[in-house]
Amino acid sequence: MLGTIVNTSTILIGGAFGAIVRSGIGEKYKKVLFEALGLCCLVLGMNASLPNMAKSEFPVMFIISLAIGGIVGTKLDLSGRIDRMNAKLNARSGKESNALNGLVTGLLLYCIGTFSIVGPVLSALSPTQGWAISESANTYLYTNATLDLVTSAVLAASFGWIMLLAAPVLFCWQGMFYAIGYFCGDGMPEPMRTELSIVGGVLIVSSGLGILGIKDCKTVNLLPSLLIPVIFYLIKGLL
């Protein structure tokens, strides 16, 4: 779990730094950071999706996942719920903000991808002696931690202290995959990881489009899409 602890810590450190310096950043600089974040979301999302599409067992899986997930999310009005919660937070603080959608974007960036999914599994599968563990086992997580340090600082500079809530979520997310690796071996099928990366990458691109003001795709409504590949491969494994 050392790699996950390091990764979680970098989000707290980067987020705290970004939130502290936020008040000293002029609006025009915040706008630049915001636009840079949107562009980064586009690049990171495409980098997660496109390489994995060639490895997909079912090339239409991500389309089906997004369609079903979008319908479920719209039915549950997830985006509307987030917007209403944002409105309440804004009313209390007296400031206009889109903090909760920023938190969702951060969680997608932190949690979706090979580093954050495969890293904890590799860490759990590596031989250990107490806290001693081979450096190679945590390479993915240390790399992810470096990326998240910068990302969390930029996000917190844009959305504030709420971004620190992403840290415990990431810890639980990676802890779940660590437990899968520890108790079940390499328990998550590679095809499932591939499909999750594709769908997650599309959601990150969707967030980027919203941040840049190009198109509000209601990314929150699409979040149930991440469950579709998991459900499919669980059923497939039982047959």
Side-chain angles (χ1 to χ4, degrees), residues 3-120:
T4 292
I5 293 172
V6 170
N7 199 166
T8 304
S9 300
T10 57
I11 291 177
L12 291 172
I13 294 169
F17 174 79
I20 290 170
V21 302
R22 184 186 186 207
S23 58
I25 301 176
E27 287 302 319
K28 64 178 181 180
Y29 297 111
K30 285 183 182 179
K31 185 174 184 294
V32 170
L33 286 174
F34 209 63
E35 291 173 347
L37 176 62
L39 291 172
C40 289
C41 285
L42 294 182
V43 173
L44 292 171
M46 288 186 288
N47 185 59
S49 291
L50 296 179
N52 282 291
M53 290 183 72
K55 300 186 293 183
S56 175
E57 286 185 341
F58 305 99
V60 298
M61 172 66 71
F62 82 99
I63 300 175
I64 296 172
S65 298
L66 289 167
I68 296 175
I71 290 172
V72 173
T74 301
K75 178 66 176 177
L76 296 175
D77 192 25
L78 298 181
S79 182
R81 294 171 189 268
I82 292 293
D83 290 341
R84 288 190 289 274
M85 290 174 67
N86 261 321
K88 289 181 180 179
L89 289 174
N90 292 342
R92 290 180 181 177
S93 65
K95 297 179 181 179
E96 197 67 30
S97 173
N98 201 20
L100 288 178
N101 279 307
L103 180 59
V104 171
T105 298
L107 290 173
L108 286 171
L109 287 170
Y110 301 147
C111 297
I112 302 301
T114 301
F115 290 164
S116 202
I117 295 175
V118 179

Side-chain angles (χ1 to χ4, degrees), residues 72-233:
V72 173
T74 301
K75 178 66 176 177
L76 296 175
D77 192 25
L78 298 181
S79 182
R81 294 171 189 268
I82 292 293
D83 290 341
R84 288 190 289 274
M85 290 174 67
N86 261 321
K88 289 181 180 179
L89 289 174
N90 292 342
R92 290 180 181 177
S93 65
K95 297 179 181 179
E96 197 67 30
S97 173
N98 201 20
L100 288 178
N101 279 307
L103 180 59
V104 171
T105 298
L107 290 173
L108 286 171
L109 287 170
Y110 301 147
C111 297
I112 302 301
T114 301
F115 290 164
S116 202
I117 295 175
V118 179
V121 175
L122 290 179
S123 179
L125 292 175
S126 298
T128 61
Q129 292 181 347
W131 281 95
I133 186 170
S134 65
E135 289 299 316
S136 60
N138 280 318
T139 298
Y140 277 6
L141 291 176
Y142 291 156
T143 303
N144 203 53
T146 304
L147 294 172
D148 289 348
L149 177 66
V150 178
T151 305
S152 60
V154 174
L155 282 166
S158 300
F159 297 107
W161 288 98
I162 194 171
M163 295 309 304
L164 268 66
L165 295 177
V169 176
L170 175 83
F171 183 84
C172 294
W173 172 262
Q174 292 189 359
M176 176 183 68
F177 288 109
Y178 184 92
I180 289 173
Y182 187 84
F183 293 108
C184 307
D186 192 4
M188 174 175 280
E190 178 64 28
M192 186 192 295
R193 288 199 293 262
T194 297
E195 301 301 335
L196 280 175
S197 294
I198 295 172
V199 175
V202 173
L203 297 187
I204 294 173
V205 169
S206 175
S207 293
L209 293 174
I211 289 173
L212 292 171
I214 297 173
K215 173 67 177 177
D216 182 4
C217 301
K218 304 293 183 184
T219 306
V220 177
N221 280 346
L222 296 172
L223 288 178
S225 304
L226 291 168
L227 294 174
I228 306 303
V230 176
I231 294 171
F232 174 81
Y233 279 102

